């Protein structure tokens, strides 16, 4: 029964109905509270609903039950990540990798957690940031004889501009002795470098500060520095002439590639697909460091239903993107387009497996709602095809007969197994649902039996067995009024059915027993407790009109006589009598 509920939960999860998945997994956990897989699955369902607190609770329970299971730590990390506990997420993924160092899901989760932690971490200020800020930097570099000559060198000027834009870029240029000398000038320290074996060592010696100069000399120095800084800042922007021929050519090729891409985009919007492909192909020839040309061409192939070409371009984009360390969103886009193409060419349920795997890889790169929807659609299509491929009425009949044999031998769990297989083989046969409902009733699994009986009636409203099964379940649940209604509904389709007539008789006996007050104290207490959980009984008791009616029955016989003429009121009174809430004397 736990496996049955788990299977329902997995099916609901695959179809994107995460609330139903949580419900089914909860049912399974109630039946098998020590099964770590059930908590893991429910954690994933909660996470999909963005209910990360419950996801964390279930993930922790999974790890407690099975501390050597890597997937438990994957669930734990995902829940922590959803709650913004980045360091806890990193810790969870690392613990999982200690158990299974080659687990791709844990590796991907760890990378995501570390990236999230880095994004959340406030940027640290570079201690040299102020020294490189503003025009004063250029003035001081111009005033110093040692660095003034460097300002005529385009690569040095570019390095200074990079550092000025982002002081953290300083780390990129520390090996350049000119930069070290510039740092010394800006910080008023003298930095020398000397070769000492295999190591380069720096010595800093204090140099006289500008403030030690006479005031007049300081003023003249500041004036010269300001004039030089103004000239330097004007010439600081590197001109085309400052680039090497190779750099100039590369820049021009990138510019032409972007124009080809724009032309391709315009043609794509006009559905001029062949022209768009030509432009994207030219862009790729001009610049092989931008994978957007490949992903755009893949999109065109997808529109043209040239799925193999689309897949090849997506594979090239992913491979090249890894080499270039491209934005993870671009990698995810290529994988999503590949998955879409694979889904388009799928002809059987197994063909959807590579598409589903590709969508899952895309989501590890970037969790995009469009990709998630495509994944859910692919999983749903796979499931529907599996059902179609599995459909076989003849085998379904054979499995049902096997279930009947086990039922006769009172081996109800085995019977349930065969009836379930019969339903998978032919989900439109009401008899299999009816028979499985009878098994569930024998096993005391009333909710499952009721659900199967209702499905049986839904498939064939004229099938009397369905009403008999449903009425029997309701009778065992002591819902005599509901059972009576079910039996009566069945008699509309088969007025002479003896099982239904017997069901009506049993229900009336129980209802009259309550009306006469013949219930034992234990029976009355049990029936009242059950009735108070029934929403219908609760609504009757909370209805102000019915409250007054009950008072009149006790205190005002004349008014009570009038109430008996109202069929709606008497119907509600009868429900309260059957429930043991009130008694008529």
């Amino acid at each position: 029964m736990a496996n049955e509920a788990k299977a329902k939960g997995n099916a609901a999860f695959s179809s994107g109905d995460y609330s139903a998945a949580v419900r089914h997994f909860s049912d399974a956990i109630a039946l098998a509270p020590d099964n770590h897989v059930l908590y893991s699955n429910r954690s994933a369902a909660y996470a999909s609903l963005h209910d990360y607190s419950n996801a964390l609770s279930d993930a922790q329970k999974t790890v407690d039950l099975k501390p050597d299971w890597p997937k438990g730590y994957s669930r734990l990390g995902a829940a922590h990540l959803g709650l913004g506990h980045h360091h806890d997420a990193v810790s969870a993924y690392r613990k999982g990798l200690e158990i299974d160092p080659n687990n791709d899901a844990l590796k991907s989760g760890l990378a995501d957690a570390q990236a999230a932690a880095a994004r959340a971490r406030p940027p640290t200020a570079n201690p040299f940031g102020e020294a490189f800020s503003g025009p004063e930097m250029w003035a001081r570099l111009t005033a110093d004889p040692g660095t003034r000559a460097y300002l005529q060198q385009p690569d040095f000027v570019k390095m200074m501009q990079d550092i000025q834009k982002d002081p953290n870029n300083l780390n990129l240029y520390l090996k350049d002795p000119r930069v070290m000398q510039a740092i010394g000038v800006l910080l008023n320290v003298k930095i020398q470098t000397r070769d000492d074996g295999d190591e380069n060592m720096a010595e800093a010696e204090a140099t006289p500060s500008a403030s030690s100069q006479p005031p007049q000399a300081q003023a003249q120095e500041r004036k010269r520095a300001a004039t030089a800084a103004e000239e330097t800042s004007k010439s600081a922007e590197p001109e085309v002439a400052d680039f090497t021929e190779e750099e100039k050519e590369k820049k021009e090729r990138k510019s032409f590639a972007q124009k080809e891409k724009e032309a391709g985009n315009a043609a794509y919007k006009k559905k001029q697909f062949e022209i768009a492909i030509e432009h994207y192909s030219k862009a790729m020839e001009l610049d092989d460091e931008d994978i957007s040309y490949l992903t755009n061409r893949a999109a065109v192939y997808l529109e043209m239903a040239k799925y193999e070409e689309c897949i090849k371009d997506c594979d090239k984009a992913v491979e090249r993107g890894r080499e270039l360390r491209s934005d993870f969103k671009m990698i995810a886009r290529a994988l999503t387009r590949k998955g879409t193409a694979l889904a388009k060419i799928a002809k059987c349920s197994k063909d959807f497996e590579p598409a589903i795997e590709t969508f899952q890889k895309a989501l590890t790169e970037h969790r995009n709602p469009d990709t998630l929807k495509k994944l859910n659609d692919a999983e749903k299509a796979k499931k529907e095809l599996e059902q179609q491929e599995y459909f076989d009425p003849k085998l379904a009949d054979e499995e049902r007969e096997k279930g009947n044999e086990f039922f006769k031998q009172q081996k109800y769990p085995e019977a349930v197994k065969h009836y379930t297989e019969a339903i998978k083989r032919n989900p439109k046969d009401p008899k299999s649902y009816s028979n499985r409902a009878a098994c569930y009733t024998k096993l005391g699994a009333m909710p499952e039996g009721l659900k199967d009986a209702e499905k049986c009636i839904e498939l064939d409203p004229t099938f009397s067995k369905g009403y008999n099964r449903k009425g029997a379940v309701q009778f065992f649940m002591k819902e005599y009024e509901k059972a009576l209604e079910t039996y009566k509904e069945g008699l509309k389709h088969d007025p002479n059915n003896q099982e239904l007539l017997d069901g009506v008789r049993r229900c009336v006996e129980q209802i009259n027993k309550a009306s006469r007050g013949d219930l034992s104290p234990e029976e009355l207490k049990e029936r009242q407790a059950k009735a108070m959980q029934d929403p219908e009984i609760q609504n009757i008791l909370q209805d102000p009109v019915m409250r007054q009616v009950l008072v009149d029955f006790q205190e005002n016989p004349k008014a009570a006589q009038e109430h008996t003429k109202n069929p709606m009121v008497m119907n509600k009174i009868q429900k309260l009598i059957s429930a043991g809430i009130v008694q008529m004397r």
Side-chain angles (χ1 to χ4, degrees), residues 173-191:
Y173 306 118
L174 286 176
K175 292 183 179 180
D176 193 312
R178 296 172 297 173
V179 173
M180 296 299 295
Q181 188 174 345
I183 292 174
V185 170
L186 296 174
L187 297 179
N188 282 331
V189 295
K190 183 179 180 182
I191 297 178

Side-chain angles (χ1 to χ4, degrees), residues 210-223:
S211 59
S212 64
Q213 299 176 3
Q216 186 176 4
Q218 290 182 36
Q220 291 176 350
E221 184 67 22
R222 280 198 298 272
K223 185 175 180 181

